[in-house]
Amino acid sequence: MDKLTVLVTDDDQDIRDGIEIYLKNEGFNVLKAANGLEAIDMLKQHEVHLIILDIMMPKMDGITATFKIREERNIPILMLSAKAEETDKIHGLSIGADDYLTKPFHPLELMARVKSQLRRYTELGTYARQEQTEGLTLHPEAKEVRLDGEPVKLTPIEYRITELLLKNAGRVFSISEIYELVWNEEAYNAENIVAVHIRKIREKIEADPKNPRYLKVVWGLGYKIEK
């Protein structure tokens, strides 16, 4: 398999160069951009498998860039920010980012998160059959969820949550279980993060998100997709 390409987007050249060194040591191709506009232009010219995207940048910030990228692409987005507030994290995740790392961060943690996101993005599903429930179907070979035969535009994290629940239709998963199985790390203050993604999924698969047909909450226990 050809090398995977990571696009590093940060207005700080030292950070871009530092991340590039670690990524290349791990065998990745690296592209670099100084702001969101440059990143979007890079995506038009190159095949990119993951984006590392700073939030605070001139010309176009990471939030705006993520929103625009998600209009056409579902590649993993790992956000960076010097801000540690939970609201910034939730905002980034709510508009389509897959993961979030606060500066300053340890390079080895960044590499671990990059590998984790790429592994989930590039691996095909292990189930040959289609999982389905009343018009909502999972197609692992294409990494797609379809509603009444039409593909649903999900981010990688949204897809993995839906995949987990569809493959286990009828089973209730706690918030901690969803977080640990999807993010592959220990759940800590995961309630808001998972809830944001559940809300976004409902907006895409439910005719009436406030009265969901598929993705149900079981109060005090967690979430499930009805059989």
Side-chain angles (χ1 to χ4, degrees):
M1 182 177 179
D2 294 335
K3 285 185 176 181
L4 298 177
T5 298
V6 177
L7 172 58
V8 181
T9 308
D10 197 297
D11 61 327
D12 189 318
Q13 183 174 343
D14 290 338
I15 292 177
R16 294 198 304 270
D17 293 344
I19 293 175
E20 178 184 25
I21 291 171
Y22 281 92
L23 287 169
K24 285 189 171 180
N25 284 342
E26 295 291 339
F28 296 110
N29 289 325
V30 179
L31 299 171
K32 295 185 290 184
N35 57 64
L37 284 175
E38 289 185 13
I40 290 173
D41 188 53
M42 286 276 190
L43 288 174
K44 295 176 181 177
Q45 301 178 48
H46 304 275
E47 182 179 7
V48 175
H49 302 94
L50 180 142
I51 307 170
I52 297 173
L53 188 64
D54 188 37
I55 287 184
M56 300 301 294
M57 295 182 294
K59 296 186 178 179
M60 182 183 288
D61 60 63
I63 297 291
T64 304
T66 296
F67 185 80
K68 291 183 176 295
I69 291 167
R70 281 289 175 254
E71 291 178 347
E72 298 183 356
R73 306 286 293 275
N74 72 339
I75 58 178
I77 297 175
L78 196 164
M79 278 193 160
L80 303 178
S81 178
K83 297 181 179 180
E85 290 85 354
E86 185 76 7
T87 53
D88 296 307
K89 182 175 183 178
I90 298 302
H91 187 36
L93 293 171
S94 70
I95 52 95
D98 298 285
D99 204 352
Y100 187 105
L101 201 55
T102 303
K103 299 177 183 178
F105 52 82
H106 196 292
L108 294 181
E109 181 181 3
L110 176 63
M111 292 304 104
R113 289 174 182 259
V114 166
K115 291 178 183 178
S116 177
Q117 290 295 330
L118 283 171
R119 183 169 60 250
R120 296 190 184 103
Y121 179 65
T122 58
E123 286 180 353
L124 293 176
T126 57
Y127 287 80
R129 73 185 193 280
Q130 297 174 5
E131 309 290 340
Q132 62 182 16
T133 177
E134 295 288 329
L136 190 67
T137 59
L138 178 70
H139 298 257
E141 73 288 347
K143 290 186 285 188
E144 281 186 349
V145 172
R146 298 175 190 171
L147 181 62
D148 296 327
E150 294 296 322
V152 181
K153 195 172 182 180
L154 300 173
T155 69
I157 285 288
E158 291 167 359
Y159 170 80
R160 290 195 290 273
I161 292 173
T162 309
E163 177 187 40
L164 172 67
L165 298 178
L166 262 175
K167 284 182 175 179
N168 300 276
R171 175 183 165 183
V172 179
F173 285 85
S174 70
I175 289 172
S176 294
E177 285 176 322
I178 293 172
Y179 190 90
E180 290 172 2
L181 290 168
V182 171
W183 276 265
N184 197 29
E185 61 185 41
E186 184 177 354
Y188 178 71
N189 288 336
E191 291 83 0
N192 287 338
I193 296 173
V194 172
V196 165
H197 284 88
I198 292 292
R199 176 173 58 80
K200 300 297 286 188
I201 293 168
R202 279 178 171 162
E203 290 173 355
K204 296 176 180 181
I205 69 172
E206 303 286 358
D208 182 0
K210 293 183 179 179
N211 296 287
R213 172 186 177 188
Y214 300 111
L215 213 172
K216 302 292 187 68
V217 62
V218 181
W219 295 107
L221 295 177
Y223 297 97
K224 69 174 180 176
I225 282 182
E226 293 280 24
K227 288 185 177 181

